[in-house]
Amino acid sequence: QKEVEQDPGPLSVPEGAIVSLNCTYSNSAFQYFMWYRQYSRKGPELLMYTYSSGNKEDGRFTAQVDKSSKYISLFIRDSQPSDSATYLCAMGEGGGSQGNLIFGKGTKLSVKP
Amino acid sequence: ETGVTQSPTHLIKTRGQQVTLRCSSQSGHNTVSWYQQALGQGPQFIFQYYREEENGRGNFPPRFSGLQFPNYSSELNVNALELDDSALYLCASSLRGGGATSTDTQYFGPGTRLTVL
């Protein structure tokens, strides 16, 4: 079993839809959880950062962490064509400066006008 | 834009050659991590440097080596290139010891796309 599992999609939704992306993990020592957005042939861009459990909201984006289920989610409200990208979950035992991040494979999202 | 820069953007090498990739950290960051991202995969951790010393290494052979300089910029060197080394190489910077108000996570550069023929 991989440490981090993420459905690669592709996922196609109409503009304005609510998008739900998720990852599961096996390492109970993970404390730091991130979502990155990666456009084609570009580097990953940090979207959301959460330490331990709980919810975090930033504009149209909401990140949820459920450590008891080892499950994290990213919700995108009122999705736009510009949201079309690959979304990567990442997590680590220490913070970003304390060691490596483990990434999922990424989910490719397409938002149709 | 994160402020992390990488050079070159693209590179083509042949099997057996050596390559050096470069990274400049975001201003104020003191830690650099390198990742390899194969097509259709998530990034995989190669190693991390803090204060010019290696501070953690992933499952990569010794022919992958690195350096961090006093200005926190960094190099990734790969010797004896193999076809499977073809990938996007990502550099990420972060701040260790930034205090309670800092976000302890990594900010990525645009990557260097390496093709090995």
Side-chain angles (χ1 to χ4, degrees):
Chain A
Q1 181 191 11
K2 287 199 158 209
E3 272 197 290
V4 178
E5 301 273 5
Q6 183 177 11
D7 185 341
L11 181 62
S12 182
V13 302
E15 184 175 353
I18 296 174
V19 176
S20 171
L21 305 167
N22 54 73
C23 291
T24 58
Y25 63 93
S26 57
N27 186 349
S28 57
F30 286 149
Q31 294 276 5
Y32 295 81
F33 304 91
M34 297 116 207
W35 285 95
Y36 287 86
R37 177 173 62 195
Q38 187 173 28
Y39 292 111
S40 183
R41 308 184 88 81
K42 302 286 186 186
E45 169 195 8
L46 179 68
L47 275 179
M48 300 291 283
Y49 166 88
T50 309
Y51 171 68
S52 195
S53 279
N55 295 356
K56 188 171 185 178
E57 189 173 317
D58 184 3
R60 296 186 295 113
F61 298 91
T62 300
Q64 290 184 348
V65 174
D66 182 350
K67 290 186 70 180
S68 63
S69 301
K70 296 191 180 71
Y71 186 90
I72 71 171
S73 301
L74 177 71
F75 297 95
I76 308 173
R77 289 183 299 281
D78 187 25
S79 56
Q80 303 294 311
S82 58
D83 294 329
S84 298
T86 295
Y87 289 79
L88 296 156
C89 64
M91 46 200 83
E93 295 183 28
S97 64
Q98 305 291 332
N100 59 309
L101 295 179
I102 308 297
F103 282 81
K105 275 189 162 185
T107 300
K108 188 168 185 177
L109 171 67
S110 177
V111 181
K112 305 291 187 188
Chain B
E1 294 289 327
T2 61
V4 180
T5 60
Q6 292 186 243
S7 62
T9 51
H10 296 89
L11 206 49
I12 299 175
K13 292 285 188 177
T14 55
R15 200 168 42 178
Q17 285 190 309
Q18 178 265 342
V19 69
T20 297
L21 310 181
R22 294 179 174 83
C23 170
S24 285
S25 302
Q26 182 167 312
S27 177
H29 283 184
N30 55 18
T31 304
V32 173
S33 305
W34 285 92
Y35 291 80
Q36 180 195 67
Q37 187 178 22
L39 202 60
Q41 303 294 316
Q44 278 202 293
F45 177 72
I46 304 175
F47 44 57
Q48 183 179 82
Y49 278 83
Y50 171 64
R51 288 190 175 176
E52 301 176 56
E53 292 202 358
E54 190 178 289
N55 177 52
R57 187 177 184 95
N59 190 25
F60 281 82
R63 59 189 185 82
F64 285 79
S65 63
L67 282 174
Q68 186 184 30
F69 300 101
N71 66 355
Y72 304 123
S73 66
S74 177
E75 283 182 358
L76 164 66
N77 298 290
V78 188
N79 293 324
L81 284 167
E82 299 177 1
L83 298 179
D84 284 350
D85 295 335
S86 295
L88 181 68
Y89 287 86
L90 295 162
C91 162
S93 74
S94 53
L95 174 61
R96 175 179 292 192
T101 58
S102 72
T103 298
D104 191 6
T105 191
Q106 298 178 7
Y107 297 87
F108 285 83
T112 293
R113 186 161 297 281
L114 173 64
T115 302
V116 182
L117 302 175

